[in-house]
Each structure stands twice: as C-alpha cells, then as structure tokens.
Amino acid sequence: MRTASAGTRAISALALAAVAGLLLYGFLATESEKTVGLILLAAVVAVAGGLRSGVLPRLVHAAGAGPVLGALGLSMLALIITFHDDPFVLLLMARALLVLVACLGLHVQLADAGVPNFAGAAFFGVGGYTAAVLGRSDLPHLLILLASGAVAAAVGSLLLLPLLRTRGHYAALITIAFGLLFRTFLEVNDTLGGPQGLKLGGLRILGWSFNDDRQLLGMDFSGYAFYCLAAVVLALFAVALVRRVERSWIGVALDAVRLDETAAACFGISIGRWKIAAFTLGNALIGVAGGLSAMMVGFIAPNNFTFQESLVLVSILLLGGLGNLAGLAVAALLVIWLPEKLQPIQEFRYLLFSVLVVLVLVLRPAGLVRRTARRPFGSVAW
Amino acid sequence: MVSGTAQLLVCRGLTRQFGGVVALSGLDLELRRGELLGLIGPNGSGKTTFFNVLTGLFPPTRGEIVFDGAPLAGARPQEIHRAGITRTFQRSRLCLDLSIFDNLAIGAHQRLDHRMVFNVLRRHDLAREADATAAAATELLEIFDPPLARRLFEPMTGVAMIDRRRVEICRALMSRPRLLLLDEPSAGMTGEETTRLMDDLLEVRRRFGDLTIVLIEHEMSVIQRVTERCVVLNYGKKLCEGTFAEVSADPEVRRAYLGLA
C-alpha cells in the first residue's frame, strides 16, 4: 500500500463525498418521481462508470477509509444544514441511518459469522422498549442508549443455546420464532403498554433537548436535525467499528467459522465463542439504534417490530451484497427512501419498488456490490 | 523438545464404530519423535477415520490416545490442536473466498491476539502482529514455491490445485505443530507434481527437525521414497508395520492391498 500525501487523501475523500452528497441532495429535495428516476439513473451511471474506469476504486484507495468516512460525515452535515427546517426530510435521513446501524449489526452476525437473524426488528424493539422504560427514570440518556444495546445483547443471549446447536435454515427458524414470541409478549404485557405501546420523552444530553426546535447561526433548526446529527455520529461509529473488527484477527476468525466450521475447529478456533461474540455485538448495535429511534419517534408499539420489518432488514443485507459495507449503505438508503419518494404514484409504489428489487437481484445476483477480499492490515507494503 | 519418552504418540486399542460399521478396530500405534510415518491401506481401511479420531472430529468409541504423556481421547478438536496436532484434509478445506494470507492466519490462530481492545483500538500493535504473521507466512511459502509467496494477498480462488495443496500444508505448519497429519496430499496431482510436493516435504523436515509427520498416501513410490516406516491398515486393523521393503514383502499385505496372490 502506497500512502498518498495528506492533501491527495483529503481531496480524493472530499471529491467522493461531494458527488455522494449531491446525489443525495437531489434525491431528497425533489418532489417528482421523474426526477427521482433521473437521479437514480445518474447514480447508476456514476457508480458503474466509476467502477468500469477504475476511477472510483482509485479514489477510495487514495483517500483511505478514515478520510472517506469523515468526508461522508461532512456531506451529511451539509445536508442537515440544507434541510434544517424540513422535518420530513430530516426524519427520513435519520431513519435510514438508524436502519443502516441495525443492518450493520445483522451484517456482523450473518455476513461475518454466518449466524442468521430474522428477528432484527425484535432486537430493535428491545432497544426501544428499554429506552422507554428507563426514560421514566433520571438516568442520563447516553447511558440509556448504551443500556438499550446491552439489554438487546442480553435478551439475545437467551437464543444462544439453540443457535449454537443449529445452523443454516434451522438457526434462522429459531430467530423467526423468537421474533413472533417477542411481539406476542409485548401485546399481552400491560406494564409495557400492551398493543397500544408506550410513549417516550425525547433525547436529552447535558440539558439539551433534541425535541425542541432551535435557532442556530440565524437558521431555524427543526428538532429532527439534532436527531439526524446523532444518527450520523452513531452510524459513523458503527461503520468504523464493524470495519475494524473485519480487518483484524477477529474478522479472520469469523470468516473461518462462517466458511468451514470443521476446518476452523481443527485450527483451534472456538466456533461457539465467535458465534456468541458476533451475535452479541450485532444485537448491541441493533439495540442502540432501536433506542435512539424510539426516542426520536416518541412512541413505540408492538406493530413497529413485526416479522415483516425483520425481513426488510435482512433484504437490505442481501440487496446490498452480503459482506459489502458500501453496498449495504446504498441498499439501506434505497429501501427506506424509495417507497417514500414514490408516494405520488400511490398504490403503484410498492409494485414499482418490488420490481426494482427483483430487477437488481436478477441483474446482480450477488447484490449491488460484491464482497471484496480483506485488505491487508499490516503496516508494511507486501 | 526433549521431554519424556521416545514416543510422541501412543494409541492403544483405538476403536471407532459408526452404527454397525467398525471403521477403526482396536488399533495400536506408536509414533516416534521426529519420524515420518507412512499410513497405507486400501480404500475404506480406516486411514482417514484414524486422522478424524486423532484430531477429535469423531471421539473414539473405545481406546486411548496419549500424546506426549497426556491423554487426548475424547478431547475437543480445539484442545487437540492446542496440544500440537494439526492436519490437512483429503479434499482441500481451504477457505476459497479468502486470500492466501487469511488462510494462513487461520492456521496461526492460537498464536494471535484476539482481544477486542487489541484488535479494534490498538491498531498499530495489530499491524505489527500482522507484519510478523505475513513474514512467517512468506517464509513458509518460499520453502514450497517462491513465486507463490509473492501472491500472499491474492484470493485463493485464482490459485492452482498444486499451490492450494501447498497452502494447505503451510496453513497447518503456521501453528508450529509437533505432529502433522497429511491426508493424501498428492490426490489429484500428476506424477511430476507429486514428486515436487514430496521434495518440498523433505525440505520441511530438514527445517523443522523435531516435527513428526504421518502421511496417508496411495502412491507406493512416494511412500518408498519419503517414509522411514509405514503402517498398513486393513478393515480398521493394523495389518503390519515396518520399513517399506519389509511391508511390501509381507504376503498378507500383497494380498490385501497390492492385489497380488
């Protein structure tokens, strides 16, 4: 690996983030489905052209992952400022980012360790309900968010025993059963609000209430802008964490467990230990995202955490290309935003959306972006 | 390694049944430190089952395994690997989606630091450990094929069959084992490729003087050339043992295995 100069790295990263930011801006700003189509087309052309010509990989490589992430964060910040008084767009952005964080959790489980989880929405819900219950106390809200992750991970540990004894479809079935069980449990549990659910107060950090609209720099910011910012920070943290885990000995061990349990065992790799680690870390990420999401929306009910929602999360993973973080991010944006953007065509929007998903998978059976080999994480050029 | 007796491994009455099938039947076998033992026998005679029982994939139905003075029968594959036994598989079990380096890092698993804090936060230390691992991997691959060592970070999918065998043996060697079990490493190779692979194996022995190797092999010329001693299995039992000359002169072996009257 040759290291480019700091200037080259910054310029490459900013160029990438600028293009991404412009495309996102166009997508979010437009009201007409024709423009949405044109922007999607432009995105496809830009990405395909960038890949074909080799410009895109070269830019990413020249910049390095850290600067690219930082620059993407900046372009999200720019978008938040641009849409500072548009709660609908801000909510849409924040939702997509939180779903992305949840999908990163699933990614660690399914794409890294090979542990399926069809109860993603349930663990998202565990995080949300934890935030709702703890929100009645005086605990600091950052602590409550951490607790959302911890409780989701702890509840997930109930599934460990059956999950370690099964694999593939059978393991998937266990998580499906858990998801259904969780929802029924919520519906009959009066302390958790039953079918009506619970209300939450908003996020409050160091006396700053995220729910209130505020004047900053002479602009009227909607409260959602601050939630969106929190979601950006959480998403950047989650991406960086997952990337580091993957580009380390932990990632190698998880790959070994996923690809060949027998060979892994013969080289001293404890199958159980790594499945537990991946499942727990994944659920913790999903739980934190669920906690923040519940605080932002201000209300949760069993109906938000159905099996269908879990399926949406898994389908984002498959659509993006199992094992590829860039693909995952694009798929999360598409799946969350597209149905909203296609609202003008009413009942046809889910039809069109489904056709698009099928088309993508027909044209790219491995998902939008393929899994790439792990890049060396040593310091020497090999 | 100078501890204990001359035997590295002692198996007594090792038996493995699959339902009514007795794949391994009361096998007594001893391995001397540093020797290269050939394990031969017709298909289904229990050679691979012996490896599978020894590495803990199937626990023995009866019998004992003593490795360097410690009982190992019934231990988990991970414990057995930690004790110093490692293997290759008859049908390559490399992770084809991963790079050569990743596969070799799997072999080095027990020597690497897997703590979360080390891997996620101490990236400089991690990079140094990765460099050291890559250096060790390169050194091993160079014994087999210097050009292969220069492709360390290429995916396994683009690697030729013979090189996959080499990587698989290197993966096993990455753990610095004391006992290496090679399950028919020459399967599917041309005669010339087999000769080259065995040259490499002899070179490995020269470099790792105290390494003990068991080699399952069908090619008699290979056995004759590289092993000091062989054991012949038939129907899960030991038919006889000795040098290749002794074994191949044994009338029972000729009848069971070589198809001669």
Side-chain angles (χ1 to χ4, degrees), chain B:
Chain B
M1 238 137 292
V2 279
S3 63
T5 53
Q7 279 87 22
L8 179 66
L9 180 84
V10 179
C11 300
R12 291 260 171 270
L14 208 55
T15 301
R16 171 70 203 193
Q17 283 173 260
F18 296 97
V21 180
V22 186
L24 214 54
S25 170
L27 179 69
D28 296 327
L29 192 142
E30 292 185 359
L31 280 179
R32 297 173 200 146
R33 288 173 200 279
E35 78 171 328
L36 202 169
L37 178 88
L39 193 58
I40 57 181
N43 282 329
S45 61
K47 305 183 298 289
T48 296
T49 303
F50 174 61
F51 277 12
N52 287 342
V53 168
L54 204 53
T55 52
L57 292 182
F58 305 132
T61 315
R62 273 188 305 282
E64 56 176 319
I65 304 170
V66 178
F67 182 70
D68 203 19
L72 271 191
R76 293 164 63 236
Q78 287 88 348
E79 292 161 358
I80 290 170
H81 176 76
R82 245 168 272 143
I85 302 180
T86 187
R87 68 176 295 181
T88 66
F89 296 88
Q90 191 172 3
R91 291 188 54 194
S92 163
R93 294 196 86 127
L94 291 165
C95 298
L96 295 182
D97 292 349
L98 304 181
S99 66
I100 297 178
F101 174 77
D102 289 350
N103 275 285
L104 296 178
I106 289 171
H109 178 85
Q110 61 172 351
R111 287 191 285 118
L112 303 174
D113 191 337
H114 285 89
R115 284 169 306 166
M116 192 76 177
V117 171
F118 177 83
N119 279 271
V120 173
L121 296 180
R122 287 164 53 195
R123 298 294 283 187
H124 282 289
D125 295 341
L126 175 71
R128 222 172 309 133
E129 198 171 84
D131 294 338
T133 309
T138 306
E139 201 181 320
L140 270 180
L141 287 170
E142 273 174 348
I143 297 179
F144 289 83
D145 189 35
L148 187 59
R150 289 194 285 277
R151 299 167 61 192
L152 194 57
F153 290 101
E154 289 181 23
M156 248 0 277
T157 34
V159 173
M161 199 60 207
I162 179 169
D163 286 337
R164 287 185 192 179
R165 292 280 177 198
R166 291 165 165 162
V167 172
E168 216 185 350
I169 297 174
C170 288
R171 177 172 72 170
L173 288 170
M174 280 299 280
S175 64
R176 298 178 192 156
R178 301 167 62 196
L179 172 57
L180 173 62
L181 309 173
L182 298 174
D183 196 346
E184 228 184 298
S186 71
M189 283 191 183
T190 65
E192 193 192 337
E193 285 172 337
T194 306
T195 309
R196 280 173 57 196
L197 193 69
M198 291 306 141
D199 290 341
D200 299 337
L201 199 59
L202 292 174
E203 177 61 24
V204 166
R205 285 200 72 202
R206 261 192 296 282
R207 302 245 187 141
F208 303 88
D210 52 356
L211 178 67
T212 310
I213 302 176
V214 180
L215 173 68
I216 292 180
E217 186 52 66
H218 274 301
E219 198 58 54
M220 284 306 124
S221 58
V222 170
I223 291 289
Q224 184 170 18
R225 187 174 148 227
V226 302
T227 67
E228 286 107 44
R229 201 164 71 92
C230 21
V231 167
V232 188
L233 295 187
N234 199 22
Y235 295 111
K237 290 196 176 86
K238 185 163 71 180
L239 206 55
C240 75
E241 64 180 291
T243 63
F244 180 77
E246 289 164 7
V247 160
S248 57
D250 189 294
E252 264 198 276
V253 173
R254 294 171 75 85
R255 199 163 36 246
Y257 190 41
L258 304 174
L260 301 173

